[in-house]
C-alpha cells in the first residue's frame, strides 16, 4: 500500500534539459497526486522547474565538480532535508551530496533515493572520482538507486547498491506537427528528390556529433542529395559549424527550435549518433511520430526502440551505410514507420513513472522506518545494560530477540 502525502525533496545539480524536464514533470505530477514535492537546484533552472509557480523550488548551487563550495551546499541541504520523508537526488554529484547531508541528521534522517541519469565520462581522473562517489556514497549510502538504462542499474548493483531498478523516463508531451512535411521541407530549402535527415539533441560530446559529421562525409556522392539538419544548442555549436563549413558537408545547425515535431515529421530518416544514451527523449518523440530511425546501439537506446529502429555500431561507416540502405528501400522505411508507432504505444507514460516512484519512495521510507526501529532498540538495550544491572540487561536482550 503506497503511503499518501509523502514529503519528497527532489535535488539536482547543473543539468542538461532532459533531466530538468524529467524532474519538473515528476514534481508537478506527484503534487497532483497529493504528495508534498519540492525541488532544490541551481537558480538558473528555477523557471523550468517551478511549472509556472506550481512547484516550490529552493536555491541549491551544486557545482559540476567537488570544491570548497560543497560545504555551503551541505549545510543548506541538511536544512532542507530535515523536513522530508524522502530525498530523491538526480545525478551522481547530487546523489553523493544528498547521502552526506542526510547522514549527519542521525536517526531522524530521511530516506535517500538516487536516480543515475548518465554514464560518467571524461578522463581517468574524472572517472576515478565518479567511481569513488558511486561506491562510497551513492551505491552504499542510498536506500534505493535507480538507473535510466540497464548498464547503469548493473553498475550500481556491482558497486554496492542494495536496491536497484531501471527508472522510467518518458518523453514529455510535445505538440503534434503544425505544418505538413512539404511545408517544412520547403522552408528548409529541401527541394526535388533530396533526402532530409534530422537529428535532435544538445550539442555536447555525449551526442557523438563528430561521428555525425564523419557519417555525412561518407554519404556524399550517394544515390541522392542529402540535407542533414541538427536541432539543438550547446557548447560545441561554433566548432561544429566551422568543421561543417570547412569540409563543405551537407549539415546545417539550426540551433534551438520550438518546432521539433515539425522537423521530425518531415524527415526521411531521423538519426541519433550518440556515444551513450539513457532513454533518449528525441528518439522516443520520433517513435511517437512514426519516424524511420537510425541510432547507435549505445546505453539504453535499444531498450527504448526495441526492433523499431535500425540500431548500428558506434561508427561513422555503420551510420552512413544504414542511412544509405534506408534511402534506397522505401518498403523498409514504411515498415520502420509502422513499427515505430507500435513501439510508441508500449513506452512508459508519466503515470507509469509516478506509479514506479511512489512504490520506490514508499519502499525507501519503510527501509528508513526499519532502520530507525533498529537504532532505537540498540539504544534501549545499551541503556538497560548500562543503567540497570545484569538482570534488566538480560531482559532487554530477550525483548530485542523476541
Amino acid at each position: 500500500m503506497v503511503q499518501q502525502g509523502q514529503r519528497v525533496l527532489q535535488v539536482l545539480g547543473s543539468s542538461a534539459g532532459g533531466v530538468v524536464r524529467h524532474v519538473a514533470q515528476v514534481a508537478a505530477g506527484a503534487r497532483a497526486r497529493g504528495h508534498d514535492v519540492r525541488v532544490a537546484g541551481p537558480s538558473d533552472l528555477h523557471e523550468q522547474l517551478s511549472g509556472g509557480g506550481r512547484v516550490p523550488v529552493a536555491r541549491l548551487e551544486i557545482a559540476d565538480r567537488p570544491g570548497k563550495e560543497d560545504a555551503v551546499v551541505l549545510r543548506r541541504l541538511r536544512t532542507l532535508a530535515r523536513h522530508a520523508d524522502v530525498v530523491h537526488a538526480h545525478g551522481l554529484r547530487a546523489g553523493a551530496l544528498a547521502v552526506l547531508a542526510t547522514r549527519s541528521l542521525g536517526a531522524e534522517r530521511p530516506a535517500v533515493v538516487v536516480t543515475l541519469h548518465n554514464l560518467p565520462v571524461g578522463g581517468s581522473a574524472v572517472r576515478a572520482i565518479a567511481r569513488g562517489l558511486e561506491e562510497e556514497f551513492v551505491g552504499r549510502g542510498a536506500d534505493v538507486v535507480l538507473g535510466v538504462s540497464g548498464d547503469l542499474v548493473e553498475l550500481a548493483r556491482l558497486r554496492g547498491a542494495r536496491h536497484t531498478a531501471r527508472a522510467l523516463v518518458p518523453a514529455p508531451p510535445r505538440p503534434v506537427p503544425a505544418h505538413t512535411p512539404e511545408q517544412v521541407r520547403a522552408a528548409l530549402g529541401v527541394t526535388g528528390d533530396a533526402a532530409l535527415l534530422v537529428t535532435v539533441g544538445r550539442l555536447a560530446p555525449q551526442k557523438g556529433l563528430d561521428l555525425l559529421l564523419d557519417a555525412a562525409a561518407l554519404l556524399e556522392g550517394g544515390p541522392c542529395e542529402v540535407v542533414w539538419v541538427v536541432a539543438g544548442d550547446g557548447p560545441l555549436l561554433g566548432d561544429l559549424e566551422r568543421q561543417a563549413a570547412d569540409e563543405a558537408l551537407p549539415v546545417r545547425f539550426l540551433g534551438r527550435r520550438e518546432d521539433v515535431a515539425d522537423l521530425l515529421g518531415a524527415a526521411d530518416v531521423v538519426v541519433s549518433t550518440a556515444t551513450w544514451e539513457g532513454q533518449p527523449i528525441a528518439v522516443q518523440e520520433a517513435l511517437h511520430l512514426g519516424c524511420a530511425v537510425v541510432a547507435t546501439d549505445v546505453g539504453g537506446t535499444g531498450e527504448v526502440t526495441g526492433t523499431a529502429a535500425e540500431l548500428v555500431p558506434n561508427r561513422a561507416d555503420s551510420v552512413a551505410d544504414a542511412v544509405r540502405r534506408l534511402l534506397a528501400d522505401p518498403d523498409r522505411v514504411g515498415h520502420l514507420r509502422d513499427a515505430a508507432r507500435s513501439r510508441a504505444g508500449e513506452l512508459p507514460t508519466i503515470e507509469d513513472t509516478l506509479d514506479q516512484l511512489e512504490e520506490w519512495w514508499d519502499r525507501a521510507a519503510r527501509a528508513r522506518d526499519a532502520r530507525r526501529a533498529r537504532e532505537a532498540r540498540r539504544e534501549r538495550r545499551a541503556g538497560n545494560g548500562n543503567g540497570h544491572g545484569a538482570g534488566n540487561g538480560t531482559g532487554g536482550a530477550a525483548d530485542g530477540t523476541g
Side-chain angles (χ1 to χ4, degrees), residues 20-21 41 60 63 148 158 163 189 193 209 212 241 251-252 268 285 297 311 319 322 328 355 373 381 386 393 400:
V20 178
R21 288 193 298 271
L60 191 68
V148 299
L158 290 173
H163 303 288
D193 294 330
L209 296 162
L212 183 153
E241 286 182 324
V251 179
R252 291 164 49 193
D268 291 289
E285 292 172 339
D297 191 5
L311 298 176
V319 172
D355 289 344
R381 287 198 295 268
N386 290 334

Side-chain angles (χ1 to χ4, degrees), residues 177-188 190 196 262-267:
H179 300 90
T180 67
E182 292 75 21
Q183 290 172 323
V184 176
R185 293 164 74 92
L188 292 171
V190 182
L196 176 62
D262 284 7
L263 295 172
L264 293 173

Side-chain angles (χ1 to χ4, degrees), residues 161-173:
R162 289 161 290 179
H163 303 288
T164 61
R166 180 175 175 268
L168 302 179
V169 185

Side-chain angles (χ1 to χ4, degrees), residues 288-308:
H288 279 289
L289 288 168
C291 300
V293 175
V294 170
T296 46
D297 191 5
V298 294
T301 301
E303 298 169 20
V304 169
T305 65
T307 60

Side-chain angles (χ1 to χ4, degrees), residues 73-154:
V73 171
L74 285 170
R75 288 195 296 271
R76 174 68 169 148
L77 190 47
R78 276 195 293 270
T79 299
L80 295 170
R82 289 182 192 277
H83 308 290
D85 299 310
V86 178
V87 173
H88 185 166
H90 295 265
L92 194 56
R93 278 277 291 144
L97 291 168
V99 170
L100 278 172
T102 55
R103 276 182 180 176
S104 64
L105 296 178
E108 295 304 308
R109 65 186 183 271
V112 176
V113 175
V114 177
T115 297
L116 301 178
H117 288 268
N118 286 288
L119 188 71
V121 295
S124 58
V126 173
R127 292 196 302 272
I129 292 172
R131 178 167 180 165
L133 287 171
E134 284 185 342
E135 287 183 342
E136 185 63 28
F137 299 122
V138 175
R140 297 174 186 173
D143 295 286
V144 175
V145 180
L146 307 176
V148 299
S149 60
D151 55 348
L152 287 182
V153 173
E154 182 60 21

Side-chain angles (χ1 to χ4, degrees), residues 290-359:
C291 300
V293 175
V294 170
T296 46
D297 191 5
V298 294
T301 301
E303 298 169 20
V304 169
T305 65
T307 60
E310 294 282 2
L311 298 176
V312 299
N314 190 26
R315 300 198 314 267
D317 60 336
S318 298
V319 172
D321 287 346
V323 170
R324 193 180 294 110
R325 286 195 304 270
L326 284 184
L327 295 180
D329 189 350
D331 289 341
R332 176 61 179 164
V333 169
H335 171 78
L336 284 177
R337 291 184 183 280
D338 291 340
R341 295 185 186 93
S342 177
R343 178 62 178 171
E346 301 169 358
L347 294 176
T349 66
I350 183 57
E351 296 304 320
D352 296 325
T353 301
L354 293 171
D355 289 344
Q356 181 197 48
L357 289 179
E358 282 184 331
E359 178 184 346

Side-chain angles (χ1 to χ4, degrees), residues 6 49 85 102 107 112 120 125 142 175-176 203 205 208 210 214 249 260 265 273-274 311 360 383 400-401:
Q6 293 269 39
L49 293 168
D85 299 310
T102 55
V112 176
V176 297
L203 306 184
D210 53 344
D214 291 343
L249 298 175
V260 168
T273 57
L311 298 176
W360 282 110
T401 303

